[in-house]
Amino acid sequence: MSKLLASPARPRPPRVPARWQQEVARVLITEHQIAARIRALSQEIQRDFTGREMMIVSLLNGTVMFLADLIRHISLPLRLDFIGVSSYGTGTTPGELVFTKELRLDVRGRDVLLVDDILDTGRTMSRVLERLRPLGSRRIRICVLLDKPSRRVEQVRADYVGFTIPDEFVVGYGLDFAERYRNLPFVGVLREDIYQRAAVVAAPPGRPPAPAS
Ligand code: IMP
Ligand code: MG
């Protein structure tokens, strides 16, 4: 039988690059899929923000790659600033938020696009919104690369979502586990043994490992 006929009907799942096979169980979203989706997202955003005083507020550090790729496809005049927020900083209990950088630019009268890597429980986004809302912007829209709706605790909805994903811990394309894996060009599911090992080494008894924002 020819190779072609023997191949399954469904496309083969993308291979984890050899360099990452020890740590990444599988590729969830490929580099190519990310690029295509971001082009579509930026077109949508561009359409909605045309004629507005656009200001992008991006959350550090997870948005580095997503933001860079998103804004290069937006050809509108815009301002850009960052808020530093860490949702699982070492030494803090999970869910406790630490602001590591404040906004510098004035958002008054502007249409804000708030960008984050992933909307998980929604705690980060709702705390950031609490800070941003009193500052007098005209409106705030939320854009995230990934959405894990099954984990939501706070009532937060993103206006622009790259991909809706299942409840799995993912890394790459800006997302980290204990500050690693941000440089992967794809989004992958972290191998469980990596978690387990980190839990034994780093976490106090009864606490999950501590990924950083
Ligand atoms: P939330 O406050 O629970 O919505 O979580 C938001 C933050 O938690 C994100 O900005 C990420 O830094 C981090 N986070 C949540 N889920 C993941 C994941 O699967 N991988 C990496 N970081 C995550
Ligand atoms: Mg983050």
Side-chain angles (χ1 to χ4, degrees), residues 43-89:
Q43 275 171 16
E44 214 182 306
I45 291 167
Q46 169 137 346
R47 205 184 45 228
D48 296 351
F49 281 76
T50 297
R52 305 290 180 194
E53 287 286 338
M54 186 177 193
M55 164 127 179
I56 294 184
V57 174
S58 197
L59 304 190
L60 294 171
N61 298 333
T63 57
V64 274
M65 285 209 203
F66 177 41
L67 178 76
D69 287 343
L70 185 75
I71 63 173
R72 83 184 68 206
H73 295 295
I74 299 176
S75 51
L76 296 175
L78 61 83
R79 291 171 178 80
L80 174 63
D81 202 357
F82 297 90
I83 293 180
V85 54
S86 186
S87 49
Y88 304 83

mmCIF file of all heavy atoms in Angstrom, residues 43-89:
data_model
loop_
_atom_site.group_PDB
_atom_site.id
_atom_site.type_symbol
_atom_site.label_atom_id
_atom_site.label_comp_id
_atom_site.label_asym_id
_atom_site.label_seq_id
_atom_site.Cartn_x
_atom_site.Cartn_y
_atom_site.Cartn_z
ATOM 1 N N GLN A 43 -6.788 42.722 12.137
ATOM 2 C CA GLN A 43 -7.713 43.359 11.178
ATOM 3 C C GLN A 43 -9.010 43.766 11.860
ATOM 4 O O GLN A 43 -9.539 44.855 11.642
ATOM 5 C CB GLN A 43 -8.029 42.399 10.034
ATOM 6 C CG GLN A 43 -6.982 42.450 8.929
ATOM 7 C CD GLN A 43 -7.167 41.357 7.902
ATOM 8 O OE1 GLN A 43 -8.230 40.740 7.825
ATOM 9 N NE2 GLN A 43 -6.135 41.105 7.120
ATOM 10 N N GLU A 44 -9.504 42.862 12.693
ATOM 11 C CA GLU A 44 -10.741 43.122 13.431
ATOM 12 C C GLU A 44 -10.558 44.339 14.351
ATOM 13 O O GLU A 44 -11.414 45.236 14.397
ATOM 14 C CB GLU A 44 -11.025 41.888 14.296
ATOM 15 C CG GLU A 44 -12.468 41.551 14.506
ATOM 16 C CD GLU A 44 -12.587 40.327 15.417
ATOM 17 O OE1 GLU A 44 -11.972 39.285 15.106
ATOM 18 O OE2 GLU A 44 -13.266 40.431 16.437
ATOM 19 N N ILE A 45 -9.445 44.356 15.045
ATOM 20 C CA ILE A 45 -9.151 45.458 15.975
ATOM 21 C C ILE A 45 -9.007 46.766 15.198
ATOM 22 O O ILE A 45 -9.545 47.802 15.586
ATOM 23 C CB ILE A 45 -7.864 45.141 16.788
ATOM 24 C CG1 ILE A 45 -8.142 43.987 17.752
ATOM 25 C CG2 ILE A 45 -7.359 46.375 17.526
ATOM 26 C CD1 ILE A 45 -6.911 43.377 18.389
ATOM 27 N N GLN A 46 -8.298 46.689 14.097
ATOM 28 C CA GLN A 46 -8.083 47.885 13.282
ATOM 29 C C GLN A 46 -9.417 48.485 12.823
ATOM 30 O O GLN A 46 -9.629 49.687 12.870
ATOM 31 C CB GLN A 46 -7.203 47.523 12.076
ATOM 32 C CG GLN A 46 -7.144 48.606 11.047
ATOM 33 C CD GLN A 46 -5.737 48.830 10.514
ATOM 34 O OE1 GLN A 46 -4.759 48.365 11.084
ATOM 35 N NE2 GLN A 46 -5.637 49.545 9.437
ATOM 36 N N ARG A 47 -10.323 47.616 12.422
ATOM 37 C CA ARG A 47 -11.641 48.071 11.976
ATOM 38 C C ARG A 47 -12.378 48.777 13.120
ATOM 39 O O ARG A 47 -12.922 49.854 12.962
ATOM 40 C CB ARG A 47 -12.445 46.853 11.499
ATOM 41 C CG ARG A 47 -13.533 47.160 10.497
ATOM 42 C CD ARG A 47 -14.337 45.926 10.162
ATOM 43 N NE ARG A 47 -14.682 45.165 11.357
ATOM 44 C CZ ARG A 47 -14.529 43.839 11.481
ATOM 45 N NH1 ARG A 47 -14.048 43.130 10.494
ATOM 46 N NH2 ARG A 47 -14.887 43.223 12.594
ATOM 47 N N ASP A 48 -12.330 48.169 14.313
ATOM 48 C CA ASP A 48 -13.073 48.708 15.460
ATOM 49 C C ASP A 48 -12.461 49.987 16.036
ATOM 50 O O ASP A 48 -13.160 50.753 16.683
ATOM 51 C CB ASP A 48 -13.165 47.662 16.576
ATOM 52 C CG ASP A 48 -13.965 46.445 16.165
ATOM 53 O OD1 ASP A 48 -14.582 46.481 15.083
ATOM 54 O OD2 ASP A 48 -13.949 45.443 16.905
ATOM 55 N N PHE A 49 -11.169 50.179 15.845
ATOM 56 C CA PHE A 49 -10.491 51.338 16.466
ATOM 57 C C PHE A 49 -10.197 52.463 15.471
ATOM 58 O O PHE A 49 -9.633 53.486 15.865
ATOM 59 C CB PHE A 49 -9.198 50.907 17.163
ATOM 60 C CG PHE A 49 -9.431 50.271 18.509
ATOM 61 C CD1 PHE A 49 -9.901 48.968 18.613
ATOM 62 C CD2 PHE A 49 -9.208 50.984 19.672
ATOM 63 C CE1 PHE A 49 -10.123 48.379 19.852
ATOM 64 C CE2 PHE A 49 -9.426 50.407 20.922
ATOM 65 C CZ PHE A 49 -9.880 49.096 21.018
ATOM 66 N N THR A 50 -10.593 52.298 14.233
ATOM 67 C CA THR A 50 -10.345 53.350 13.249
ATOM 68 C C THR A 50 -11.071 54.630 13.664
ATOM 69 O O THR A 50 -12.236 54.583 14.058
ATOM 70 C CB THR A 50 -10.800 52.894 11.842
ATOM 71 O OG1 THR A 50 -9.999 51.771 11.469
ATOM 72 C CG2 THR A 50 -10.610 53.993 10.806
ATOM 73 N N GLY A 51 -10.343 55.745 13.622
ATOM 74 C CA GLY A 51 -10.944 57.028 13.978
ATOM 75 C C GLY A 51 -10.942 57.312 15.473
ATOM 76 O O GLY A 51 -11.436 58.344 15.909
ATOM 77 N N ARG A 52 -10.417 56.386 16.258
ATOM 78 C CA ARG A 52 -10.365 56.556 17.724
ATOM 79 C C ARG A 52 -8.972 56.970 18.159
ATOM 80 O O ARG A 52 -7.997 56.755 17.453
ATOM 81 C CB ARG A 52 -10.714 55.227 18.426
ATOM 82 C CG ARG A 52 -12.026 54.618 18.015
ATOM 83 C CD ARG A 52 -13.163 55.444 18.541
ATOM 84 N NE ARG A 52 -14.457 54.877 18.160
ATOM 85 C CZ ARG A 52 -15.597 55.538 18.263
ATOM 86 N NH1 ARG A 52 -15.606 56.787 18.691
ATOM 87 N NH2 ARG A 52 -16.718 54.970 17.932
ATOM 88 N N GLU A 53 -8.894 57.505 19.380
ATOM 89 C CA GLU A 53 -7.584 57.785 19.993
ATOM 90 C C GLU A 53 -7.140 56.483 20.651
ATOM 91 O O GLU A 53 -7.420 56.242 21.825
ATOM 92 C CB GLU A 53 -7.719 58.896 21.037
ATOM 93 C CG GLU A 53 -7.918 60.274 20.455
ATOM 94 C CD GLU A 53 -6.621 60.828 19.852
ATOM 95 O OE1 GLU A 53 -5.531 60.374 20.228
ATOM 96 O OE2 GLU A 53 -6.734 61.717 18.990
ATOM 97 N N MET A 54 -6.460 55.657 19.895
ATOM 98 C CA MET A 54 -6.161 54.317 20.391
ATOM 99 C C MET A 54 -4.967 54.285 21.339
ATOM 100 O O MET A 54 -3.935 54.887 21.080
ATOM 101 C CB MET A 54 -5.880 53.374 19.217
ATOM 102 C CG MET A 54 -5.697 51.942 19.655
ATOM 103 S SD MET A 54 -5.451 50.855 18.251
ATOM 104 C CE MET A 54 -5.656 49.271 19.046
ATOM 105 N N MET A 55 -5.169 53.555 22.414
ATOM 106 C CA MET A 55 -4.066 53.361 23.353
ATOM 107 C C MET A 55 -4.037 51.891 23.758
ATOM 108 O O MET A 55 -5.046 51.333 24.185
ATOM 109 C CB MET A 55 -4.303 54.233 24.577
ATOM 110 C CG MET A 55 -3.464 53.855 25.738
ATOM 111 S SD MET A 55 -2.579 55.268 26.336
ATOM 112 C CE MET A 55 -1.718 54.499 27.691
ATOM 113 N N ILE A 56 -2.888 51.287 23.590
ATOM 114 C CA ILE A 56 -2.746 49.885 23.985
ATOM 115 C C ILE A 56 -2.079 49.822 25.348
ATOM 116 O O ILE A 56 -1.053 50.463 25.582
ATOM 117 C CB ILE A 56 -1.930 49.096 22.940
ATOM 118 C CG1 ILE A 56 -2.722 49.023 21.638
ATOM 119 C CG2 ILE A 56 -1.593 47.696 23.459
ATOM 120 C CD1 ILE A 56 -2.093 48.197 20.547
ATOM 121 N N VAL A 57 -2.712 49.076 26.251
ATOM 122 C CA VAL A 57 -2.125 48.834 27.569
ATOM 123 C C VAL A 57 -1.871 47.334 27.661
ATOM 124 O O VAL A 57 -2.806 46.529 27.618
ATOM 125 C CB VAL A 57 -3.074 49.294 28.699
ATOM 126 C CG1 VAL A 57 -2.509 48.901 30.065
ATOM 127 C CG2 VAL A 57 -3.302 50.805 28.637
ATOM 128 N N SER A 58 -0.602 46.970 27.738
ATOM 129 C CA SER A 58 -0.244 45.565 27.672
ATOM 130 C C SER A 58 0.334 45.097 29.008
ATOM 131 O O SER A 58 1.084 45.824 29.646
ATOM 132 C CB SER A 58 0.779 45.381 26.547
ATOM 133 O OG SER A 58 0.870 44.037 26.197
ATOM 134 N N LEU A 59 -0.038 43.901 29.413
ATOM 135 C CA LEU A 59 0.411 43.394 30.714
ATOM 136 C C LEU A 59 1.728 42.630 30.566
ATOM 137 O O LEU A 59 1.863 41.763 29.699
ATOM 138 C CB LEU A 59 -0.660 42.491 31.341
ATOM 139 C CG LEU A 59 -2.051 43.130 31.514
ATOM 140 C CD1 LEU A 59 -2.947 42.235 32.371
ATOM 141 C CD2 LEU A 59 -1.966 44.510 32.143
ATOM 142 N N LEU A 60 2.665 42.979 31.422
ATOM 143 C CA LEU A 60 3.990 42.339 31.411
ATOM 144 C C LEU A 60 3.955 41.098 32.295
ATOM 145 O O LEU A 60 3.248 41.086 33.293
ATOM 146 C CB LEU A 60 5.035 43.313 31.953
ATOM 147 C CG LEU A 60 5.272 44.559 31.087
ATOM 148 C CD1 LEU A 60 6.159 45.546 31.837
ATOM 149 C CD2 LEU A 60 5.901 44.184 29.757
ATOM 150 N N ASN A 61 4.730 40.023 31.997
ATOM 151 C CA ASN A 61 5.681 39.903 30.905
ATOM 152 C C ASN A 61 5.158 39.024 29.767
ATOM 153 O O ASN A 61 5.791 38.937 28.721
ATOM 154 C CB ASN A 61 6.968 39.252 31.419
ATOM 155 C CG ASN A 61 7.651 40.069 32.479
ATOM 156 O OD1 ASN A 61 7.540 41.279 32.549
ATOM 157 N ND2 ASN A 61 8.376 39.374 33.333
ATOM 158 N N GLY A 62 4.024 38.382 30.028
ATOM 159 C CA GLY A 62 3.568 37.333 29.118
ATOM 160 C C GLY A 62 3.164 37.781 27.719
ATOM 161 O O GLY A 62 3.018 36.949 26.831
ATOM 162 N N THR A 63 2.976 39.084 27.522
ATOM 163 C CA THR A 63 2.451 39.530 26.221
ATOM 164 C C THR A 63 3.540 39.882 25.206
ATOM 165 O O THR A 63 3.218 40.311 24.104
ATOM 166 C CB THR A 63 1.544 40.773 26.389
ATOM 167 O OG1 THR A 63 2.276 41.809 27.042
ATOM 168 C CG2 THR A 63 0.304 40.456 27.197
ATOM 169 N N VAL A 64 4.813 39.717 25.584
ATOM 170 C CA VAL A 64 5.896 40.214 24.716
ATOM 171 C C VAL A 64 5.756 39.810 23.248
ATOM 172 O O VAL A 64 5.787 40.654 22.352
ATOM 173 C CB VAL A 64 7.312 39.803 25.199
ATOM 174 C CG1 VAL A 64 7.839 40.772 26.216
ATOM 175 C CG2 VAL A 64 7.343 38.384 25.704
ATOM 176 N N MET A 65 5.604 38.526 22.998
ATOM 177 C CA MET A 65 5.583 38.065 21.598
ATOM 178 C C MET A 65 4.263 38.412 20.922
ATOM 179 O O MET A 65 4.223 38.875 19.793
ATOM 180 C CB MET A 65 5.784 36.558 21.529
ATOM 181 C CG MET A 65 7.184 36.150 21.771
ATOM 182 S SD MET A 65 7.505 34.608 20.879
ATOM 183 C CE MET A 65 8.873 34.013 21.859
ATOM 184 N N PHE A 66 3.181 38.162 21.650
ATOM 185 C CA PHE A 66 1.842 38.411 21.121
ATOM 186 C C PHE A 66 1.692 39.884 20.744
ATOM 187 O O PHE A 66 1.262 40.217 19.632
ATOM 188 C CB PHE A 66 0.818 38.001 22.183
ATOM 189 C CG PHE A 66 -0.610 38.265 21.833
ATOM 190 C CD1 PHE A 66 -1.090 38.022 20.547
ATOM 191 C CD2 PHE A 66 -1.506 38.726 22.795
ATOM 192 C CE1 PHE A 66 -2.427 38.258 20.225
ATOM 193 C CE2 PHE A 66 -2.830 38.956 22.483
ATOM 194 C CZ PHE A 66 -3.292 38.733 21.202
ATOM 195 N N LEU A 67 2.076 40.763 21.649
ATOM 196 C CA LEU A 67 1.940 42.193 21.413
ATOM 197 C C LEU A 67 2.756 42.632 20.192
ATOM 198 O O LEU A 67 2.266 43.369 19.337
ATOM 199 C CB LEU A 67 2.399 42.959 22.658
ATOM 200 C CG LEU A 67 2.346 44.467 22.502
ATOM 201 C CD1 LEU A 67 0.910 44.964 22.604
ATOM 202 C CD2 LEU A 67 3.206 45.158 23.549
ATOM 203 N N ALA A 68 3.999 42.173 20.140
ATOM 204 C CA ALA A 68 4.878 42.582 19.029
ATOM 205 C C ALA A 68 4.279 42.164 17.690
ATOM 206 O O ALA A 68 4.295 42.927 16.718
ATOM 207 C CB ALA A 68 6.258 41.962 19.213
ATOM 208 N N ASP A 69 3.737 40.955 17.634
ATOM 209 C CA ASP A 69 3.165 40.477 16.377
ATOM 210 C C ASP A 69 1.826 41.145 16.072
ATOM 211 O O ASP A 69 1.510 41.401 14.920
ATOM 212 C CB ASP A 69 3.004 38.950 16.420
ATOM 213 C CG ASP A 69 4.359 38.255 16.314
ATOM 214 O OD1 ASP A 69 5.334 38.922 15.897
ATOM 215 O OD2 ASP A 69 4.442 37.067 16.647
ATOM 216 N N LEU A 70 1.064 41.420 17.122
ATOM 217 C CA LEU A 70 -0.250 42.039 16.922
ATOM 218 C C LEU A 70 -0.113 43.471 16.392
ATOM 219 O O LEU A 70 -0.740 43.841 15.398
ATOM 220 C CB LEU A 70 -1.002 42.047 18.259
ATOM 221 C CG LEU A 70 -2.446 42.538 18.248
ATOM 222 C CD1 LEU A 70 -3.366 41.470 17.638
ATOM 223 C CD2 LEU A 70 -2.925 42.873 19.658
ATOM 224 N N ILE A 71 0.733 44.276 17.034
ATOM 225 C CA ILE A 71 0.753 45.702 16.664
ATOM 226 C C ILE A 71 1.441 45.958 15.335
ATOM 227 O O ILE A 71 1.168 46.959 14.698
ATOM 228 C CB ILE A 71 1.343 46.623 17.772
ATOM 229 C CG1 ILE A 71 2.796 46.293 18.048
ATOM 230 C CG2 ILE A 71 0.490 46.553 19.022
ATOM 231 C CD1 ILE A 71 3.439 47.304 19.013
ATOM 232 N N ARG A 72 2.291 45.035 14.900
ATOM 233 C CA ARG A 72 2.933 45.298 13.605
ATOM 234 C C ARG A 72 1.932 45.181 12.457
ATOM 235 O O ARG A 72 2.203 45.595 11.354
ATOM 236 C CB ARG A 72 4.160 44.422 13.391
ATOM 237 C CG ARG A 72 3.900 43.022 12.880
ATOM 238 C CD ARG A 72 5.160 42.222 12.808
ATOM 239 N NE ARG A 72 5.689 41.927 14.136
ATOM 240 C CZ ARG A 72 6.970 41.701 14.397
ATOM 241 N NH1 ARG A 72 7.858 41.783 13.444
ATOM 242 N NH2 ARG A 72 7.350 41.400 15.613
ATOM 243 N N HIS A 73 0.771 44.589 12.728
ATOM 244 C CA HIS A 73 -0.274 44.487 11.698
ATOM 245 C C HIS A 73 -1.346 45.553 11.851
ATOM 246 O O HIS A 73 -2.325 45.551 11.115
ATOM 247 C CB HIS A 73 -0.929 43.109 11.738
ATOM 248 C CG HIS A 73 0.002 42.007 11.383
ATOM 249 N ND1 HIS A 73 0.570 41.878 10.136
ATOM 250 C CD2 HIS A 73 0.492 40.993 12.125
ATOM 251 C CE1 HIS A 73 1.359 40.824 10.125
ATOM 252 N NE2 HIS A 73 1.338 40.267 11.316
ATOM 253 N N ILE A 74 -1.202 46.418 12.835
ATOM 254 C CA ILE A 74 -2.190 47.488 13.019
ATOM 255 C C ILE A 74 -1.579 48.786 12.493
ATOM 256 O O ILE A 74 -0.580 49.261 13.043
ATOM 257 C CB ILE A 74 -2.578 47.641 14.511
ATOM 258 C CG1 ILE A 74 -3.209 46.351 15.040
ATOM 259 C CG2 ILE A 74 -3.547 48.811 14.705
ATOM 260 C CD1 ILE A 74 -3.547 46.372 16.527
ATOM 261 N N SER A 75 -2.171 49.328 11.444
ATOM 262 C CA SER A 75 -1.573 50.539 10.878
ATOM 263 C C SER A 75 -2.395 51.775 11.228
ATOM 264 O O SER A 75 -2.757 52.564 10.367
ATOM 265 C CB SER A 75 -1.396 50.390 9.360
ATOM 266 O OG SER A 75 -2.601 49.965 8.784
ATOM 267 N N LEU A 76 -2.691 51.914 12.516
ATOM 268 C CA LEU A 76 -3.394 53.096 13.019
ATOM 269 C C LEU A 76 -2.430 53.856 13.919
ATOM 270 O O LEU A 76 -1.527 53.250 14.494
ATOM 271 C CB LEU A 76 -4.604 52.672 13.875
ATOM 272 C CG LEU A 76 -5.733 51.909 13.219
ATOM 273 C CD1 LEU A 76 -6.748 51.480 14.280
ATOM 274 C CD2 LEU A 76 -6.420 52.775 12.162
ATOM 275 N N PRO A 77 -2.646 55.178 14.086
ATOM 276 C CA PRO A 77 -1.838 55.856 15.082
ATOM 277 C C PRO A 77 -2.226 55.317 16.459
ATOM 278 O O PRO A 77 -3.421 55.205 16.748
ATOM 279 C CB PRO A 77 -2.239 57.329 14.937
ATOM 280 C CG PRO A 77 -3.522 57.328 14.183
ATOM 281 C CD PRO A 77 -3.626 56.044 13.433
ATOM 282 N N LEU A 78 -1.251 54.935 17.252
ATOM 283 C CA LEU A 78 -1.586 54.414 18.587
ATOM 284 C C LEU A 78 -0.491 54.722 19.586
ATOM 285 O O LEU A 78 0.648 54.970 19.216
ATOM 286 C CB LEU A 78 -1.863 52.907 18.537
ATOM 287 C CG LEU A 78 -0.768 51.939 18.071
ATOM 288 C CD1 LEU A 78 0.190 51.577 19.190
ATOM 289 C CD2 LEU A 78 -1.422 50.662 17.526
ATOM 290 N N ARG A 79 -0.870 54.718 20.846
ATOM 291 C CA ARG A 79 0.094 54.859 21.922
ATOM 292 C C ARG A 79 0.179 53.513 22.637
ATOM 293 O O ARG A 79 -0.790 52.755 22.639
ATOM 294 C CB ARG A 79 -0.345 55.945 22.905
ATOM 295 C CG ARG A 79 -0.286 57.338 22.325
ATOM 296 C CD ARG A 79 -0.930 58.352 23.255
ATOM 297 N NE ARG A 79 -0.841 59.702 22.733
ATOM 298 C CZ ARG A 79 -1.648 60.205 21.787
ATOM 299 N NH1 ARG A 79 -2.611 59.455 21.270
ATOM 300 N NH2 ARG A 79 -1.497 61.442 21.367
ATOM 301 N N LEU A 80 1.330 53.290 23.251
ATOM 302 C CA LEU A 80 1.558 51.990 23.886
ATOM 303 C C LEU A 80 2.159 52.180 25.272
ATOM 304 O O LEU A 80 3.108 52.940 25.444
ATOM 305 C CB LEU A 80 2.520 51.177 23.005
ATOM 306 C CG LEU A 80 3.026 49.837 23.541
ATOM 307 C CD1 LEU A 80 1.881 48.854 23.747
ATOM 308 C CD2 LEU A 80 4.048 49.244 22.563
ATOM 309 N N ASP A 81 1.577 51.494 26.239
ATOM 310 C CA ASP A 81 2.162 51.512 27.588
ATOM 311 C C ASP A 81 1.949 50.139 28.241
ATOM 312 O O ASP A 81 1.202 49.305 27.717
ATOM 313 C CB ASP A 81 1.517 52.628 28.433
ATOM 314 C CG ASP A 81 2.421 53.042 29.603
ATOM 315 O OD1 ASP A 81 3.489 52.439 29.799
ATOM 316 O OD2 ASP A 81 2.033 53.978 30.330
ATOM 317 N N PHE A 82 2.612 49.944 29.355
ATOM 318 C CA PHE A 82 2.595 48.631 29.998
ATOM 319 C C PHE A 82 2.216 48.730 31.476
ATOM 320 O O PHE A 82 2.528 49.721 32.132
ATOM 321 C CB PHE A 82 3.986 47.991 29.920
ATOM 322 C CG PHE A 82 4.432 47.718 28.509
ATOM 323 C CD1 PHE A 82 5.142 48.681 27.801
ATOM 324 C CD2 PHE A 82 4.126 46.518 27.885
ATOM 325 C CE1 PHE A 82 5.544 48.445 26.487
ATOM 326 C CE2 PHE A 82 4.516 46.270 26.575
ATOM 327 C CZ PHE A 82 5.231 47.231 25.877
ATOM 328 N N ILE A 83 1.559 47.694 31.947
ATOM 329 C CA ILE A 83 1.358 47.523 33.382
ATOM 330 C C ILE A 83 2.051 46.210 33.752
ATOM 331 O O ILE A 83 1.876 45.197 33.063
ATOM 332 C CB ILE A 83 -0.147 47.436 33.750
ATOM 333 C CG1 ILE A 83 -0.836 48.780 33.484
ATOM 334 C CG2 ILE A 83 -0.321 47.037 35.214
ATOM 335 C CD1 ILE A 83 -2.324 48.804 33.819
ATOM 336 N N GLY A 84 2.842 46.263 34.803
ATOM 337 C CA GLY A 84 3.500 45.047 35.267
ATOM 338 C C GLY A 84 2.659 44.422 36.359
ATOM 339 O O GLY A 84 2.308 45.070 37.340
ATOM 340 N N VAL A 85 2.289 43.167 36.160
ATOM 341 C CA VAL A 85 1.485 42.487 37.181
ATOM 342 C C VAL A 85 1.885 41.020 37.233
ATOM 343 O O VAL A 85 2.071 40.373 36.211
ATOM 344 C CB VAL A 85 -0.031 42.669 36.922
ATOM 345 C CG1 VAL A 85 -0.430 42.239 35.542
ATOM 346 C CG2 VAL A 85 -0.876 41.956 37.965
ATOM 347 N N SER A 86 2.077 40.571 38.450
ATOM 348 C CA SER A 86 2.505 39.197 38.650
ATOM 349 C C SER A 86 1.442 38.490 39.470
ATOM 350 O O SER A 86 1.111 38.926 40.572
ATOM 351 C CB SER A 86 3.851 39.209 39.376
ATOM 352 O OG SER A 86 4.332 37.906 39.458
ATOM 353 N N SER A 87 0.896 37.410 38.909
ATOM 354 C CA SER A 87 -0.225 36.783 39.605
ATOM 355 C C SER A 87 0.200 35.664 40.539
ATOM 356 O O SER A 87 -0.560 35.249 41.386
ATOM 357 C CB SER A 87 -1.264 36.266 38.606
ATOM 358 O OG SER A 87 -0.650 35.521 37.600
ATOM 359 N N TYR A 88 1.394 35.154 40.365
ATOM 360 C CA TYR A 88 1.833 34.056 41.234
ATOM 361 C C TYR A 88 3.288 34.298 41.640
ATOM 362 O O TYR A 88 4.105 33.409 41.527
ATOM 363 C CB TYR A 88 1.775 32.701 40.515
ATOM 364 C CG TYR A 88 0.458 32.282 39.930
ATOM 365 C CD1 TYR A 88 0.059 32.734 38.685
ATOM 366 C CD2 TYR A 88 -0.355 31.385 40.623
ATOM 367 C CE1 TYR A 88 -1.137 32.324 38.137
ATOM 368 C CE2 TYR A 88 -1.547 30.973 40.076
ATOM 369 C CZ TYR A 88 -1.935 31.440 38.839
ATOM 370 O OH TYR A 88 -3.108 31.023 38.288
ATOM 371 N N GLY A 89 3.598 35.503 42.073
ATOM 372 C CA GLY A 89 4.989 35.802 42.427
ATOM 373 C C GLY A 89 5.494 34.875 43.513
ATOM 374 O O GLY A 89 4.740 34.445 44.374
#
